Amino acid sequence: MLYTPDTIAAIATAPGRGGVGVIRVSGKNLQALISGLLGREQSALKPRFAHFTHFKATDGSTVDEGIALFFPNPASFTGEDVLELQGHGGPVIMNMLLKRCIELGARHAEPGEFTKRAFLNGKLDLAQAEAVADIIDAQSEAAAKSALKSLDGAFSREVHALVDALINLRMLVEATLDFPEEDIDFLEAADARGKLHNISAQLARVMDTATQGKLLREGMHVVLIGQPNVGKSSLMNALAGEDVAIVTDIAGTTRDTVRELIQLDGIPLHIIDTAGLRDTTDTVEKIGIERTWVAIAKADLALLLLDSREGITAHDHDILARLPESLSVLRVFNKIDLTGDTAGEIADDEIHVSAKQGIGLQELKAKLLKKIGWQGMNDGVFIARERHLTAIRTAREHLNIADSSYLQIEILAEELRLAQNSLNEITGEFTSDDLLGVIFSRFCIGK
Ligand SMILES: Nc1nc2c(ncn2[C@@H]2O[C@H](COP(=O)(O)OP(=O)(O)OP(=O)(O)O)[C@@H](O)[C@H]2O)c(=O)[nH]1
Ligand SMILES: [Mg+2]
């Protein structure tokens, strides 16, 4: 049964001028709209065929001329009847055409409503629907490619394979619940525990790939910290490739946090330059330093900049001691042009550079990617988001409990059921209306 409360319409192309503009209409019955707008019957429109036509106003005059394409249900994006109008891509003409569709009974579509209908009508699962938005929002080729993989179902297939394996295992376990006299021997004979371990191992692999996919989509927050004058703003500018932050030889130059988004190997990195950390009586600098600590609290990785001539001072040890324990830290010894040190890695968490001379920056970039866990783009990476990782983590916890309470069959059965529910959240077999609202409201209009 189709989920089709009413007919929706929206301009699908980006606002502004363009050669062609597209309006999309979706609903259960477009007969009246088609005859009012095109002056012909729906049955006169050959499915998925480009009809050159005039789009008509109420009085029969022409609003625009262009192409009409009709996709009868269920072979359409939404699964409903879909009419696509290609007119001249000017904002005025597009709005006139949209207004005409509204006059003929359609209503303005909400953001993501076409894709939401595709999901509700079973054309896409939730991970695929999210991938539609991720393709449109992609900031790098790598992100676009991996989003396309998710839309194609690469992620969903992994989840379905896991769910199928879980269902098989649950059938075994629940059969034991029904016939307690057979219990453990029966499970042993069917190698239930081996099956459970296989599922856990497979889930760990999916987690690994999804973590890469989330990195591609959401990137990481990297904060530049250290004492005044060590070269944080210089490094920020070197990484950004332009002068986004003010650099002077006056200690305490940077007061406010400065943010810049850069792409490394397709990974979006939010780099934050901060006020140097020191004791000060200057009111503005004090506020800046408070902001540095706020940025540190939100960061995934900190680059602690140090002056190579000084090494790690007592003051730097104080800074290190104050950092959150969970924060990953890379020590960057800067200004090696003044010491003659060799550029590049010193130890796992230490590197030599000169921000001013641009020395050691490639090594630093490679190290940054390694630190945040990026394994490099490969064909297997599909896009993912935090929501998916949370679901996988929860499923893993349930599988761990299932494993440790293996001999308590009722707990085992329940934990396997919960693990399956968590995985089903990814593809949307198990979701709340609130979650759907959050996901689709972030789409653009017309998609
Ligand atoms: N020789 C040399 N000088 C550098 C290098 N990096 C930065 N500097 C100089 O060090 C001084 C301070 O640089 P900034 O980038 O403003 O330092 P900062 O850490 O942002 O300082 P605050 O904003 O005051 O905390 C400037 O005169 C820079 O030109 C480097 O690699 N080599
Ligand atoms: Mg600075």
Side-chain angles (χ1 to χ4, degrees), residues 98-266:
L98 178 60
K99 213 167 107 197
R100 183 69 183 121
C101 295
I102 305 295
E103 256 174 35
L104 288 164
R107 78 167 159 78
H108 290 279
E110 289 163 19
E113 199 170 3
F114 291 92
T115 315
K116 186 176 182 184
R117 288 188 173 193
F119 166 66
L120 292 171
N121 291 328
K123 302 293 287 187
L124 298 171
D125 68 32
L126 201 52
Q128 289 173 307
E130 290 170 314
V132 170
D134 290 339
I135 291 175
I136 293 172
D137 292 338
Q139 301 285 322
S140 68
E141 279 185 27
K145 265 188 191 160
S146 61
L148 205 59
K149 284 208 75 97
S150 286
L151 175 61
D152 189 40
F155 190 9
S156 308
R157 280 191 292 274
E158 298 274 7
V159 173
H160 286 143
L162 280 162
V163 168
D164 287 348
L166 268 171
I167 291 173
N168 274 327
L169 182 55
R170 285 185 63 203
M171 276 163 32
L172 282 178
V173 173
E174 303 210 354
T176 323
L177 278 180
D178 294 340
F179 305 100
E181 63 282 2
E182 301 183 16
D183 60 14
I184 304 302
D185 292 343
F186 174 74
L187 286 182
E188 292 284 291
D191 189 27
R193 195 155 209 174
K195 290 191 164 77
L196 176 58
H197 289 169
N198 282 344
I199 295 171
S200 294
Q202 178 57 17
L203 190 55
R205 279 193 291 276
V206 174
M207 178 76 181
D208 212 40
T209 314
T211 305
Q212 297 293 299
K214 190 203 150 200
L215 261 179
L216 263 182
R217 182 176 183 270
E218 292 167 20
M220 284 275 175
H221 287 85
V222 179
V223 68
L224 305 178
I225 58 169
Q227 296 187 56
N229 251 345
V230 289
K232 300 178 292 299
S233 301
S234 303
L235 184 61
M236 170 78 157
N237 292 344
L239 288 172
E242 57 181 315
D243 287 342
V244 287
I246 300 172
V247 169
T248 75
D249 57 4
I250 304 163
T253 298
T254 305
R255 303 298 188 89
D256 221 338
T257 45
V258 179
R259 288 155 198 278
E260 187 67 17
L261 177 65
I262 66 164
Q263 301 279 346
L264 279 192
D265 203 22

Side-chain angles (χ1 to χ4, degrees), residues 2-171:
L2 283 183
Y3 164 87
T4 310
D6 53 7
T7 297
I8 53 172
I11 302 172
T13 35
R17 293 163 67 229
V20 177
V22 174
I23 287 185
R24 208 185 225 174
V25 185
S26 179
K28 183 153 59 180
N29 186 352
L30 304 183
Q31 189 96 39
L33 189 139
I34 286 172
S35 67
L37 188 65
L38 308 182
R40 52 176 116 181
E41 290 307 302
Q42 180 177 305
S43 54
L45 291 179
K46 198 171 151 192
R48 296 175 294 282
F49 184 85
H51 300 268
F52 178 71
T53 183
H54 285 219
F55 306 129
K56 292 182 189 306
T58 326
D59 62 5
S61 63
T62 299
V63 181
D64 191 11
E65 57 176 41
I67 289 188
L69 286 153
F70 182 55
F71 303 87
N73 83 76
S76 71
F77 177 65
T78 58
E80 304 167 352
D81 282 352
V82 169
L83 181 68
E84 220 174 88
L85 309 169
Q86 303 182 1
H88 291 93
V92 171
I93 204 86
M94 279 288 113
N95 277 313
M96 282 163 64
L97 212 48
L98 178 60
K99 213 167 107 197
R100 183 69 183 121
C101 295
I102 305 295
E103 256 174 35
L104 288 164
R107 78 167 159 78
H108 290 279
E110 289 163 19
E113 199 170 3
F114 291 92
T115 315
K116 186 176 182 184
R117 288 188 173 193
F119 166 66
L120 292 171
N121 291 328
K123 302 293 287 187
L124 298 171
D125 68 32
L126 201 52
Q128 289 173 307
E130 290 170 314
V132 170
D134 290 339
I135 291 175
I136 293 172
D137 292 338
Q139 301 285 322
S140 68
E141 279 185 27
K145 265 188 191 160
S146 61
L148 205 59
K149 284 208 75 97
S150 286
L151 175 61
D152 189 40
F155 190 9
S156 308
R157 280 191 292 274
E158 298 274 7
V159 173
H160 286 143
L162 280 162
V163 168
D164 287 348
L166 268 171
I167 291 173
N168 274 327
L169 182 55
R170 285 185 63 203
M171 276 163 32

